[in-house]
Coordinates of all heavy atoms in Angstrom, one line a residue:
Chain G
G274 N 29.5 0.2 -19.3 CA 29.7 1.5 -18.7 C 29.3 1.5 -17.2 O 30.0 2.0 -16.4
G275 N 28.2 0.8 -17.0 CA 27.7 0.7 -15.6 C 28.7 -0.1 -14.7 O 29.0 0.4 -13.6
L276 N 29.2 -1.2 -15.2 CA 30.1 -2.0 -14.4 C 31.4 -1.2 -14.2 O 31.9 -1.2 -13.1 CB 30.4 -3.3 -15.1 CG 29.3 -4.3 -15.2 CD1 29.6 -5.5 -16.0 CD2 28.9 -4.7 -13.7
I277 N 31.9 -0.5 -15.2 CA 33.1 0.3 -15.1 C 32.9 1.4 -14.0 O 33.7 1.7 -13.2 CB 33.5 0.9 -16.4 CG1 34.0 -0.2 -17.3 CG2 34.6 2.0 -16.2 CD1 34.2 0.2 -18.8
S278 N 31.7 2.0 -14.1 CA 31.4 3.1 -13.2 C 31.3 2.6 -11.7 O 31.9 3.3 -10.8 CB 30.0 3.7 -13.5 OG 29.7 4.9 -12.7
V279 N 30.7 1.4 -11.5 CA 30.7 0.9 -10.1 C 32.2 0.6 -9.7 O 32.5 1.0 -8.6 CB 29.9 -0.4 -10.1 CG1 30.0 -1.1 -8.7 CG2 28.4 -0.1 -10.4
I280 N 32.9 0.0 -10.6 CA 34.3 -0.3 -10.2 C 35.1 0.9 -9.9 O 35.9 1.0 -8.9 CB 35.0 -1.2 -11.3 CG1 34.3 -2.6 -11.4 CG2 36.5 -1.3 -11.1 CD1 34.6 -3.4 -12.6
Y281 N 34.9 2.0 -10.7 CA 35.6 3.2 -10.5 C 35.2 3.8 -9.1 O 36.0 4.3 -8.3 CB 35.4 4.3 -11.6 CG 36.0 5.6 -11.2 CD1 37.4 5.8 -11.3 CD2 35.2 6.6 -10.7 CE1 37.9 7.0 -10.9 CE2 35.8 7.8 -10.3 CZ 37.1 8.0 -10.4 OH 37.7 9.2 -10.0
G282 N 33.9 3.7 -8.8 CA 33.4 4.2 -7.5 C 34.1 3.6 -6.4 O 34.5 4.2 -5.4
V283 N 34.3 2.2 -6.5 CA 34.9 1.5 -5.4 C 36.4 1.9 -5.3 O 36.9 2.1 -4.2 CB 34.7 0.0 -5.7 CG1 35.6 -0.8 -4.8 CG2 33.3 -0.4 -5.6
L284 N 37.1 1.9 -6.5 CA 38.5 2.3 -6.5 C 38.7 3.7 -5.9 O 39.6 3.9 -5.1 CB 39.0 2.3 -7.9 CG 39.2 0.9 -8.6 CD1 39.6 1.0 -10.0 CD2 40.1 0.0 -7.8
A285 N 37.8 4.6 -6.3 CA 37.9 6.0 -5.8 C 37.7 6.1 -4.3 O 38.4 6.8 -3.6 CB 36.9 6.9 -6.5
T286 N 36.7 5.3 -3.8 CA 36.4 5.3 -2.4 C 37.5 4.5 -1.6 O 38.0 4.9 -0.6 CB 35.0 4.7 -2.1 OG1 34.1 5.3 -3.0 CG2 34.6 4.9 -0.7
G287 N 37.8 3.3 -2.1 CA 38.7 2.4 -1.4 C 40.1 2.8 -1.4 O 40.8 2.5 -0.4
F288 N 40.6 3.3 -2.5 CA 42.0 3.5 -2.7 C 42.5 4.9 -2.9 O 43.6 5.3 -2.7 CB 42.6 2.6 -3.8 CG 42.3 1.1 -3.5 CD1 41.3 0.5 -4.2 CD2 43.0 0.4 -2.6 CE1 41.0 -0.9 -4.0 CE2 42.8 -0.9 -2.3 CZ 41.8 -1.6 -3.0
L289 N 41.6 5.8 -3.4 CA 42.0 7.1 -3.8 C 41.5 8.1 -2.7 O 41.7 9.3 -2.9 CB 41.4 7.5 -5.1 CG 41.8 6.6 -6.3 CD1 41.1 7.0 -7.6 CD2 43.3 6.5 -6.5
G290 N 40.9 7.7 -1.7 CA 40.5 8.5 -0.6 C 39.3 9.5 -0.9 O 39.1 10.5 -0.2
K291 N 38.6 9.2 -2.0 CA 37.5 10.1 -2.3 C 36.2 9.7 -1.6 O 36.0 8.6 -1.2 CB 37.3 10.1 -3.9 CG 38.5 10.6 -4.7 CD 38.1 10.8 -6.1 CE 39.3 11.3 -6.9 NZ 39.8 12.6 -6.5
N292 N 35.3 10.8 -1.5 CA 34.1 10.5 -0.8 C 32.9 10.4 -1.8 O 31.8 10.1 -1.4 CB 33.8 11.6 0.2 CG 34.8 11.7 1.3 OD1 35.5 10.7 1.6 ND2 34.9 12.9 1.9
S293 N 33.2 10.7 -3.0 CA 32.1 10.8 -4.0 C 31.8 9.5 -4.7 O 31.0 9.4 -5.7 CB 32.4 11.9 -5.0 OG 33.6 11.6 -5.6
G294 N 32.4 8.4 -4.3 CA 32.3 7.1 -5.0 C 30.9 6.7 -5.1 O 30.5 6.0 -6.1
I295 N 30.0 7.0 -4.1 CA 28.7 6.5 -4.1 C 27.9 7.0 -5.4 O 27.1 6.3 -5.9 CB 27.9 7.0 -2.9 CG1 26.4 6.5 -2.9 CG2 27.9 8.5 -2.7 CD1 26.3 5.1 -2.7
W296 N 28.3 8.1 -5.9 CA 27.6 8.6 -7.1 C 28.0 7.8 -8.3 O 27.1 7.6 -9.2 CB 27.9 10.1 -7.3 CG 27.4 10.9 -6.1 CD1 28.2 11.7 -5.3 CD2 26.1 10.9 -5.6 NE1 27.4 12.2 -4.2 CE2 26.1 11.7 -4.4 CE3 24.9 10.4 -5.9 CZ2 25.0 12.0 -3.6 CZ3 23.8 10.6 -5.1 CH2 23.9 11.4 -4.0
F297 N 29.3 7.4 -8.4 CA 29.7 6.6 -9.5 C 29.1 5.2 -9.4 O 28.6 4.6 -10.3 CB 31.2 6.5 -9.6 CG 31.8 7.8 -10.0 CD1 32.3 8.7 -9.0 CD2 31.9 8.2 -11.3 CE1 32.9 9.9 -9.3 CE2 32.4 9.4 -11.6 CZ 32.9 10.3 -10.6
G298 N 29.1 4.7 -8.1 CA 28.5 3.4 -7.8 C 27.0 3.4 -8.1 O 26.4 2.5 -8.7
G299 N 26.3 4.5 -7.7 CA 24.9 4.6 -8.0 C 24.6 4.7 -9.4 O 23.7 4.0 -9.9
L300 N 25.3 5.6 -10.2 CA 25.0 5.7 -11.6 C 25.3 4.3 -12.3 O 24.5 3.9 -13.1 CB 26.0 6.8 -12.2 CG 25.9 6.9 -13.7 CD1 24.5 7.5 -14.1 CD2 27.0 7.8 -14.2
G301 N 26.4 3.7 -11.9 CA 26.7 2.4 -12.5 C 25.6 1.4 -12.2 O 25.2 0.6 -13.1
T302 N 25.1 1.4 -11.0 CA 24.1 0.4 -10.7 C 22.8 0.6 -11.5 O 22.2 -0.3 -12.0 CB 23.7 0.5 -9.2 OG1 24.9 0.3 -8.4 CG2 22.7 -0.5 -8.7
V303 N 22.5 1.9 -11.6 CA 21.3 2.2 -12.4 C 21.5 1.8 -13.9 O 20.6 1.2 -14.5 CB 21.0 3.7 -12.4 CG1 19.9 4.1 -13.4 CG2 20.5 4.1 -11.0
L304 N 22.7 2.0 -14.4 CA 22.9 1.6 -15.8 C 22.9 0.1 -16.0 O 22.3 -0.4 -16.9 CB 24.3 2.2 -16.3 CG 24.4 3.7 -16.5 CD1 25.8 4.1 -16.8 CD2 23.4 4.1 -17.6
V305 N 23.5 -0.6 -15.0 CA 23.5 -2.1 -15.1 C 22.1 -2.6 -15.0 O 21.6 -3.5 -15.7 CB 24.4 -2.7 -13.9 CG1 24.2 -4.2 -13.8 CG2 25.9 -2.4 -14.2
G306 N 21.3 -2.0 -14.0 CA 19.9 -2.4 -13.9 C 19.1 -2.2 -15.2 O 18.4 -3.1 -15.6
L307 N 19.3 -1.0 -15.8 CA 18.6 -0.7 -17.0 C 19.0 -1.7 -18.1 O 18.1 -2.2 -18.9 CB 18.9 0.7 -17.5 CG 18.2 1.8 -16.9 CD1 18.7 3.2 -17.3 CD2 16.7 1.7 -17.2
A308 N 20.3 -2.1 -18.2 CA 20.7 -3.1 -19.2 C 20.1 -4.4 -18.9 O 19.6 -5.1 -19.9 CB 22.3 -3.2 -19.1
I309 N 20.0 -4.8 -17.7 CA 19.4 -6.1 -17.3 C 17.9 -6.2 -17.7 O 17.5 -7.1 -18.4 CB 19.6 -6.4 -15.8 CG1 21.1 -6.6 -15.5 CG2 18.8 -7.6 -15.4 CD1 21.7 -7.8 -16.1
F310 N 17.2 -5.1 -17.3 CA 15.8 -5.1 -17.7 C 15.6 -5.0 -19.2 O 14.6 -5.6 -19.7 CB 15.1 -3.9 -16.9 CG 14.9 -4.1 -15.5 CD1 15.5 -3.3 -14.5 CD2 14.1 -5.2 -15.0 CE1 15.3 -3.5 -13.2 CE2 13.9 -5.4 -13.6 CZ 14.5 -4.6 -12.7
S311 N 16.5 -4.3 -19.9 CA 16.3 -4.1 -21.3 C 16.6 -5.5 -22.0 O 15.9 -5.9 -22.9 CB 17.3 -3.1 -21.9 OG 17.1 -1.9 -21.3
L312 N 17.6 -6.2 -21.5 CA 17.9 -7.5 -22.1 C 16.7 -8.5 -21.9 O 16.4 -9.3 -22.8 CB 19.0 -8.2 -21.3 CG 20.4 -7.7 -21.7 CD1 21.5 -8.5 -20.9 CD2 20.6 -8.1 -23.2
A313 N 16.0 -8.3 -20.8 CA 14.8 -9.2 -20.5 C 13.6 -8.9 -21.3 O 12.8 -9.8 -21.7 CB 14.5 -9.2 -19.0
G314 N 13.4 -7.6 -21.5 CA 12.1 -7.2 -22.1 C 12.1 -6.7 -23.5 O 11.0 -6.9 -24.2

Side-chain angles (χ1 to χ4, degrees):
Chain G
L276 290 173
I277 290 167
S278 186
V279 172
I280 292 166
Y281 174 75
V283 170
L284 291 176
T286 309
F288 300 105
L289 305 177
K291 295 191 184 298
N292 297 337
S293 56
I295 181 66
W296 302 118
F297 294 97
L300 175 69
T302 303
V303 171
L304 289 174
V305 170
L307 279 173
I309 293 294
F310 286 118
S311 299
L312 278 181

